[in-house]
Amino acid sequence: RSLIWPDNSAVLVGTDAEPEVFENAAERYGVPATRLKGASHMSRSPDGSALVAACGGRNLDLCLFDVTRGLQVISPQVLYGSTLPVLRIAWLDNERFASLHAGESWSLWTRQPETPILDQVALLAGGDSELLAVDVGVDGTVAAGGQYTGIVTNRSVPPFDQSDAGWLTEAYGGVTNIVVADDGAIGVIGSNWVDMSPIDVERSPPEPLAANPERLAWIDGDQTLAITSARGIYLWPRGGAVAPAELPVEPGRTFGGVVALQSPWRFGYSLSSGALIGVRQDGTTAPLVPLEQSADRLSALSLDLHPGGSWLAVSRADNEVRLFDLSGAQAPVSLPLRSNDSKVVAFSPDGARIAVLGSDGRLYLFDFDAAAGRAEAYLSLNPVPLKFRAPDRGDRQANWIAWDGPDRIAIATAAGDLLGLSVDWPLISNYIANRIKGLPDS
């Protein structure tokens, strides 16, 4: 496919052809060419400054590219992830374009406002290995870890520079999950160990854990670290003066996620069956929600409690996320995804939004009304820009997410970069308000 500019330049786009095919075509027709892979149904703005194309698998995404005078494609951004393929794109003027989708639905888009709706800001760049986990504390502490590397730093203490950050020791053999308490204390697990603040890279290896740890969370007002593993649950008092104590549980169970809860519960955890269990202050346990609502063998590895204390967000091994009202006053809420399953669910600090990371690296953002028990999808996109992507990983570039305040999401990437996705919600609201859906007979 190709688009011709008024100055006889061209953009050539294809999905299967080798680079030589594009080079030969550009040489044959005497035009400079830029190769874009995986895009179709292209349309350029009348002044040639922008290019819109259907992108992603099966033409389900809509991408906007800024184009320089030399026909170099810059600033690619995914505008919208739809469940209906894009069939045609047409510009109305240099600022507005329309897209026609399967099912005879169409959308009207605008390039205004000029500032990006989503702005990728590097927090820490140029990691040495893949990052698998990240968390951010309310005090400004940022902690991330992955394959044989990890970093802990505090942005409230200038300068925020990678050279001033404290690194987790490489002897740990890889970080798999990490949590930050409100005061900046760190809890971290690897394949067969657990550690907590104070992190000291000079000391001997951390506390060993015979059963492979799965997830961890600060509980008891950040005074205890709760760790789930393949065979049980461990509780480790803050300070690490004593070894983690194994909580007596029914044998034969496989444990998943863990989350701090509010009274009368101490904390909650999930089983491989999908059941959600609460632990009271006296150590007794009971289902957090009726088993017929959760125990469907779709294990929940990621759990997050709404700041109001009533709603529990639960990841699943299928194409949705569930929200449960622990008071039982409202029915469960299902959030549909395009991903096959979800990896991370997280409420924003103000509880007004939910971020979900699919196992395919796609990020979903929802607006949430806790009082009404209603969630509305805002955006669905691959949050890692091309320049931060690891080779040979396809779209699976984002490994973990965590809210960094109410307007930014920290992203641990496959290439070892820690990114900040800044979200201006008023702009997004205006942007969606300008998107018009037509009826088949309109």
Side-chain angles (χ1 to χ4, degrees):
R1 299 175 185 271
S2 67
L3 285 177
I4 306 299
W5 261 248
D7 62 356
N8 202 36
S9 299
V11 169
L12 305 179
V13 177
T15 57
D16 299 320
E18 296 297 324
E20 293 77 11
V21 175
F22 295 92
E23 295 171 2
N24 293 340
E27 182 178 355
R28 176 180 178 182
Y29 294 105
V31 296
T34 295
R35 178 175 181 253
L36 300 176
K37 186 176 181 181
S40 62
H41 301 296
M42 299 179 299
S43 180
R44 66 173 176 82
S45 60
D47 62 3
S49 64
L51 172 68
V52 175
C55 55
R58 298 172 294 176
N59 294 340
L60 293 177
D61 292 333
L62 199 61
C63 293
L64 173 66
F65 304 90
D66 292 328
V67 182
T68 67
R69 291 292 301 169
L71 285 188
Q72 295 296 314
V73 175
I74 59 173
S75 302
Q77 55 179 313
V78 178
L79 296 179
Y80 180 64
S82 173
T83 57
L84 300 175
V86 177
L87 301 179
R88 188 175 180 182
I89 302 168
W91 287 83
L92 284 70
D93 49 42
N94 289 321
E95 301 300 334
R96 296 177 300 162
F97 62 92
S99 59
L100 176 67
H101 302 259
E104 298 185 305
S105 65
W106 60 277
S107 301
L108 180 65
W109 305 81
T110 177
R111 293 177 65 189
Q112 297 295 334
E114 295 180 355
T115 55
I117 294 169
L118 298 176
D119 180 26
Q120 286 88 4
V121 180
L123 296 175
L124 297 169
D128 296 328
S129 64
E130 182 175 10
L131 286 178
L132 299 176
V134 62
D135 199 17
V136 183
V138 296
D139 70 332
T141 297
V142 180
Q147 294 179 338
Y148 304 101
T149 189
I151 190 168
V152 179
T153 189
N154 192 307
R155 288 165 306 166
S156 64
V157 182
F160 176 50
D161 189 298
Q162 184 166 332
S163 62
D164 295 328
W167 290 85
L168 295 172
T169 174
E170 295 183 6
Y172 283 9
V175 172
T176 58
N177 205 208
I178 197 165
V179 291
V180 181
D182 287 348
D183 62 356
I186 305 298
V188 58
I189 56 175
S191 59
N192 58 1
W193 56 267
V194 59
D195 202 358
M196 67 168 65
S197 294
I199 300 294
D200 184 356
V201 299
E202 300 297 332
R203 71 180 178 193
S204 59
E207 184 73 27
L209 208 60
N212 295 339
E214 193 72 59
R215 294 288 189 269
L216 75 167
W218 285 107
I219 65 172
D220 300 337
D222 295 340
Q223 294 305 305
T224 305
L225 201 58
I227 309 116
T228 61
S229 70
R231 73 179 190 186
I233 299 176
Y234 295 84
L235 301 180
W236 198 14
R238 186 160 170 173
V242 297
E246 186 172 358
L247 190 70
V249 293
E250 182 179 335
R253 289 183 166 183
T254 302
F255 297 83
V258 61
V259 61
L261 298 177
Q262 296 183 7
S263 180
W265 305 104
R266 185 184 183 191
F267 67 95
Y269 60 86
S270 63
L271 300 175
S272 58
S273 65
L276 302 171
I277 307 299
V279 180
R280 300 186 182 92
Q281 296 295 334
D282 60 4
T284 60
T285 63
L288 289 171
V289 298
L291 294 179
E292 59 269 20
Q293 294 181 1
S294 63
D296 50 13
R297 304 204 64 79
L298 293 174
S299 179
L301 283 178
S302 179
L303 309 175
D304 196 40
L305 185 69
H306 185 270
S310 60
W311 287 94
L312 182 66
V314 178
S315 69
R316 287 168 57 86
D318 63 358
N319 59 348
E320 69 177 28
V321 163
R322 293 249 180 109
L323 308 179
F324 294 100
D325 181 6
L326 298 184
S327 70
Q330 302 194 64
V333 177
S334 295
L335 309 181
L337 311 176
R338 283 176 49 200
S339 306
N340 291 330
D341 55 6
S342 50
K343 192 173 185 179
V344 187
V345 293
F347 284 107
S348 60
D350 59 6
R353 302 161 191 96
I354 305 170
V356 179
L357 181 65
S359 59
D360 57 356
R362 179 170 287 270
L363 176 66
Y364 302 85
L365 303 176
F366 298 85
D367 187 19
F368 182 59
D369 185 339
R374 183 177 63 250
E376 180 183 356
Y378 269 100
L379 287 179
S380 162
L381 74 163
N382 189 319
V384 181
L386 297 177
K387 65 179 180 179
F388 290 109
R389 294 194 171 192
D392 305 324
R393 284 294 300 270
D395 289 334
R396 298 174 184 269
Q397 298 290 330
N399 285 329
W400 206 265
I401 58 170
W403 283 95
D404 179 13
D407 297 317
R408 177 179 292 191
I409 297 174
I411 306 167
T413 70
D417 297 298
L418 182 59
L419 303 180
L421 185 67
S422 296
V423 185
D424 191 328
W425 290 98
L427 287 184
I428 286 185
S429 298
N430 294 335
Y431 180 78
I432 292 179
N434 290 330
R435 178 161 51 82
I436 303 172
K437 284 285 186 180
L439 299 175
D441 57 353
S442 66

